[in-house]
C-alpha cells in the first residue's frame, strides 16, 4: 500500500548559485559522502530529499542529513534514512522506498514512493 509519493525538479544552475551564495548550505543539506559529488548529482540528491519529505507529508523538524541517496551493488539509487526522517517513516509505517533519479541538461528530478 502506498503511504506517500513525492516528486521534485531542481534547476542545476540555480541550485549551484544558491550553494555558492550560501556555502554552509552544502554542509546542512548533505552528509559528508554526498558533499563532493558533481553538481548534477548533488542537485538530483537534493531533489530526492525534497521528494522524500513530500512523501512523508513534510514533517516538521526534519534534518536533511537524516536521509540520503546511496547506490547499491548494482548501481541503483536507494533511500537510506535515520534520525528524524526514520522517525517520520516509522510513524507512517513506511517499509519500502522506491526512488527514481534523472538529470538532463540543466534539470535534475527525483520521484519517491513510500510504501507500507
Amino acid at each position: 500500500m502506498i503511504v506517500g509519493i513525492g516528486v521534485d525538479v531542481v534547476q542545476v544552475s540555480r541550485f549551484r548559485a544558491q550553494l555558492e551564495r550560501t556555502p554552509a548550505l552544502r554542509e546542512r543539506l548533505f552528509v559528508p559522502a554526498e558533499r563532493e559529488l558533481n553538481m548534477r548529482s548533488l542537485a538530483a540528491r537534493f531533489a530526492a530529499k525534497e521528494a522524500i519529505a513530500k512523501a512523508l507529508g513534510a514533517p516538521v523538524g526534519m534534518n536533511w542529513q537524516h536521509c540520503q541517496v546511496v547506490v547499491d551493488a548494482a548501481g541503483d539509487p536507494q533511500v537510506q534514512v535515520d534520525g528524524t526522517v526514520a522517525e517520520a517513516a516509522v510513524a507512517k509505517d513506511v517499509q519500502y522506498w522506491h526512488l527514481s533519479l534523472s538529470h538532463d541538461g540543466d534539470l535534475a528530478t527525483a520521484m519517491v514512493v513510500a510504501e507500507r
Side-chain angles (χ1 to χ4, degrees):
M1 172 182 218
I2 293 176
V3 175
I5 297 173
V7 178
D8 198 58
V9 178
V10 174
Q11 185 177 10
V12 177
S13 58
R14 186 172 175 207
F15 186 68
R16 175 189 329 244
Q18 184 63 39
L19 289 180
E20 288 170 356
R21 275 194 307 275
T22 314
L25 193 57
R26 187 182 297 250
E27 285 73 33
R28 193 177 90 193
L29 295 175
F30 301 105
V31 298
E34 295 171 314
R35 293 178 193 154
E36 300 306 316
L37 295 170
N38 67 60
M39 192 55 60
R40 286 174 35 151
S41 292
L42 269 183
R45 278 161 174 76
F46 178 70
K49 291 174 186 241
E50 284 276 336
I52 291 164
K54 290 174 183 177
L56 291 173
V60 175
M62 180 180 139
N63 183 323
W64 292 99
Q65 291 193 21
H66 291 170
C67 65
Q68 64 178 309
V69 175
V70 296
V71 179
D72 68 15
D76 296 326
Q78 304 292 321
V79 173
Q80 183 176 333
V81 299
D82 61 18
T84 58
V85 181
E87 290 169 11
V90 166
K92 290 195 170 262
D93 197 26
V94 175
Q95 302 294 314
Y96 306 101
W97 294 98
H98 307 280
L99 170 64
S100 177
L101 298 176
S102 183
H103 33 67
D104 185 31
D106 197 38
L107 294 178
T109 64
M111 179 179 176
V112 171
V113 176
E115 185 178 11
R116 192 173 288 153

